[in-house]
């Protein structure tokens, strides 16, 4: 929770419940949903109305994610893939079900595994299947742990089931059996605001961030710029916000 303080030295205070975590010169907001009236994050921040109106133009798309840890590397000849449902939606749903993309997390820089550590994969659903999964009758009124468990179960099964298909499409000899390593751990997650969906994208396409020097407040995120809804867009927006803050403080 952020509180606006009428002080030229440190105009922003950050709280966790009633505990003051610190006083700061600038407020940087990366979550567009912080502007929602039901969120307590910025209720006492007295922020610019222009930022509060963001949610009138940007909605959020839900997603489901799961991480799987295998005791040995998967025999897939790639580290990541996207499932393109625009090619043939019916066939893709039949073969890959809830999956939108998958990535070998252990292939990322600094996350390499040794002989004793597990190999981790991150799975993300496609938007339509995420909505279908979260609207299942059995999940209506379910607790968050129950929802996460259902997501984990569904996405793990979908990924394991499609491994032979992925191997075959990668040139694997069909006469050889595909051996899937043992799963040592897995966890599902409901991502309530995964991607931005624009009502008026043109309002954000031409700017990489919003900066309000008088309030020492800047907003950035994946809904700004020409690479919106992508990691690149979030990175470029954050970098632009940092440059604006440095310009304002004279560095």
């Amino acid at each position: 929770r952020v509180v606006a303080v009428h002080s030229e030295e440190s105009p922003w205070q950050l709280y966790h419940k009633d505990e003051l975590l610190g006083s700061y010169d600038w407020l940087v907001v990366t979550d567009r949903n912080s502007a929602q009236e039901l969120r307590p994050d910025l209720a006492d921040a007295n922020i610019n109305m222009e930022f509060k109106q963001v949610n009138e133009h940007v909605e959020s798309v839900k997603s489901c994610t799961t991480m799987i840890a295998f005791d040995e590397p998967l025999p897939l000849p790639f580290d990541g893939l996207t499932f393109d449902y625009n090619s043939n939606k019916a066939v893709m749903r039949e073969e890959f079900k809830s999956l939108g993309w998958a990535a070998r997390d252990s292939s990322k820089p600094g996350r390499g595994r040794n002989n004793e550590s597990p190999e981790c994969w991150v799975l993300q659903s496609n938007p339509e299947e995420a909505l279908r999964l979260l609207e299942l009758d059995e999940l209506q009124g379910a607790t968050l742990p129950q929802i996460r468990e259902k997501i984990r179960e569904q996405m793990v099964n979908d990924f394991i089931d499609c491994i032979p298909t992925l191997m075959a499409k990668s040139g694997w000899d069909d006469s050889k059996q595909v051996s899937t390593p043992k799963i040592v751990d897995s966890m599902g997650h409901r991502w309530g605001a995964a991607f931005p969906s624009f009502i008026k994208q043109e309002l954000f396409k031409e700017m990489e961030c919003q900066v309000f020097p008088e309030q020492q407040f800047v907003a950035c995120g994946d809904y700004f710029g020409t690479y919106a809804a992508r990691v690149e867009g979030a990175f470029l927006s954050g970098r632009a916000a940092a440059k604006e803050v440095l310009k304002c403080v004279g560095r």
Side-chain angles (χ1 to χ4, degrees):
R1 184 172 59 91
V2 175
V3 176
V5 181
H6 298 290
S7 169
E8 295 183 359
E9 295 182 358
S10 299
W12 300 105
Q13 289 184 340
L14 180 64
Y15 285 83
H16 174 63
K17 297 182 179 179
D18 294 326
E19 178 187 0
L20 176 63
L21 301 180
S23 300
Y24 301 91
D25 298 327
W26 277 78
L27 173 64
V28 181
V29 176
T30 61
D31 183 357
R32 63 187 178 278
N33 292 306
S34 295
Q36 292 182 354
E37 293 184 1
L38 298 179
R39 288 274 293 268
D41 313 30
L42 303 174
D44 300 317
N46 191 30
I47 58 173
N48 194 290
M49 283 300 298
E50 187 176 343
F51 174 70
K52 287 186 176 181
Q53 293 171 352
V54 165
N55 288 289
E56 296 179 7
H57 309 295
V58 185
E59 297 177 341
S60 296
V61 177
K62 297 178 181 179
S63 183
C64 299
T65 60
T66 294
M67 175 171 277
I68 311 177
F70 298 94
D71 64 349
E72 295 180 3
L74 274 183
L76 294 174
F78 45 78
D79 292 326
L81 74 158
T82 298
F83 301 91
D84 184 9
Y85 284 75
N86 293 322
S87 57
N88 191 322
K89 187 174 293 186
V91 173
M92 292 295 291
R93 182 176 289 112
E94 176 66 25
E95 292 187 343
F96 305 113
K97 299 179 176 67
S98 66
L99 302 176
W101 62 255
R104 195 189 311 261
D105 200 66
S106 301
S107 69
K108 297 178 182 178
R111 298 188 183 181
R113 64 181 296 274
N114 54 42
N115 292 332
E116 297 181 357
S117 62
E119 176 176 274
C120 295
W121 280 75
V122 175
L123 314 175
Q124 184 162 306
S125 67
N126 67 72
E128 289 184 8
E129 287 302 302
L131 187 60
R132 182 197 63 77
L133 180 58
L134 294 173
E135 289 185 347
L136 289 174
D137 291 340
E138 63 184 279
L139 293 184
Q140 305 314 303
T143 65
L144 184 56
Q146 290 172 331
I147 294 173
R148 288 174 174 170
E149 174 58 22
K150 180 61 179 180
I151 291 171
R152 183 202 67 79
E153 178 185 4
Q154 181 73 56
M155 298 192 73
V156 167
N157 289 338
D158 291 348
F159 186 56
I160 297 301
D161 288 347
C162 80
I163 288 178
T165 301
L166 295 176
M167 294 295 293
K169 291 180 180 294
S170 302
W172 180 265
D173 187 349
D174 290 343
S175 64
K176 297 181 180 179
Q177 185 177 0
V178 178
S179 178
T180 303
K182 178 183 177 182
I183 298 175
V184 294
D185 198 7
S186 59
M187 179 177 294
H189 177 69
R190 180 187 62 185
W191 197 355
F195 307 105
S197 176
F198 297 95
I199 300 173
K200 291 185 177 181
Q201 185 175 8
E202 63 272 13
L203 298 177
F204 304 94
K205 193 172 184 178
E206 300 302 323
M207 57 180 174
E208 291 187 307
C209 65
Q210 283 180 308
V211 59
F212 307 100
E214 299 80 8
Q215 291 185 291
Q216 295 176 214
F217 164 65
V218 60
C220 56
D222 63 355
Y223 57 101
F224 286 104
T226 56
Y227 294 95
R230 294 169 55 178
V231 173
E232 297 95 324
F235 172 83
L236 292 172
S237 179
R239 186 174 67 174
K243 289 181 178 179
E244 291 294 336
V245 172
L246 291 175
K247 185 190 302 183
C248 290
V249 299
R251 293 185 181 179

